[in-house]
Amino acid sequence: MPKVFSLDGVVPVVDPTAFVHPGAVLIGDVIIGPDCYVGPGASIRADVGQIVMARGSNFQDNCSAHCFAGGRTEIQEYASIGHGAVLHGCTVGARAIIGMNAVVMDGAVIGDDCIVAALAFVRANFQAPARTIVAGLPAKVLRDITEAEIEWKKSAYTDYLNTIPRCRATLQEVEALTGIDDMSPRITIEGAKTLSDFRKKP
């Protein structure tokens, strides 16, 4: 079970169909909706405001979510928050992707189907229009996304939806092996390609 803490009598809410890794931490006014995935090392700390994950969204390894007093952080349906990203008092639109180690600040709104590049810094109150790519320090809108990129994003969040039943069925804490003779990959599964590889396809 994840580390779940009530604060001022407010207990986090996790839908029974969601998967929250045992290494994640939830504090206070957290609401995690159906079919969500929360990865190891994630910190969702709603001690002074509310943090909501809508259906099918994912919050990957070592991500953090928080806000200022009275604020709210919202992750809308099927949005993906990449490894190590930080969300602070912002809104992430439906099916948007926040890249690895990106930071999205208070009052920022990432529109539906946006892609925020890895390592981007999205300043407070920034408005990213729907279906755009945002990148840089500070982040700027680079261009509209293509229909092909929309299709790629679907495969990205579908991977996390497919991971939930696998984790429920087979994830368990064990002792590590001390050696192995065959170094070939031991988990082979069909899934999303990287965006750069996807763009290269014929």
Side-chain angles (χ1 to χ4, degrees), residues 66-153:
H66 192 241
C67 58
F68 283 109
R72 189 171 197 257
T73 298
E74 181 178 357
I75 304 168
Q76 295 179 356
E77 291 190 346
Y78 302 104
S80 294
I81 313 304
H83 315 290
V86 177
L87 306 182
H88 206 278
C90 59
T91 299
V92 178
R95 302 169 306 279
I97 291 179
I98 306 300
M100 291 180 264
N101 290 306
V103 176
V104 185
M105 293 299 293
D106 303 272
V109 177
I110 306 302
D112 293 351
D113 293 302
C114 278
I115 298 174
V116 174
L119 296 172
F121 177 76
V122 180
R123 65 187 184 276
N125 300 314
F126 184 84
Q127 305 287 304
R131 298 172 64 110
T132 58
I133 291 182
V134 174
L137 297 163
K140 296 178 182 176
V141 176
L142 297 186
R143 62 172 173 83
D144 292 340
I145 65 173
T146 65
E147 289 301 321
E149 287 164 341
I150 292 278
E151 287 304 308
W152 170 79
K153 288 191 321 81

Side-chain angles (χ1 to χ4, degrees), residues 4-7 10-14 26-31:
V4 179
F5 300 91
S6 67
L7 185 64
V10 176
V11 178
V13 176
V14 179
L26 313 178
I27 300 171
D29 194 3
V30 176
I31 301 174

Side-chain angles (χ1 to χ4, degrees), residues 157-168:
Y157 68 69
T158 298
D159 278 359
Y160 279 92
L161 294 175
N162 292 337
T163 297
I164 292 171
R166 291 175 59 220
C167 287
R168 287 189 180 283

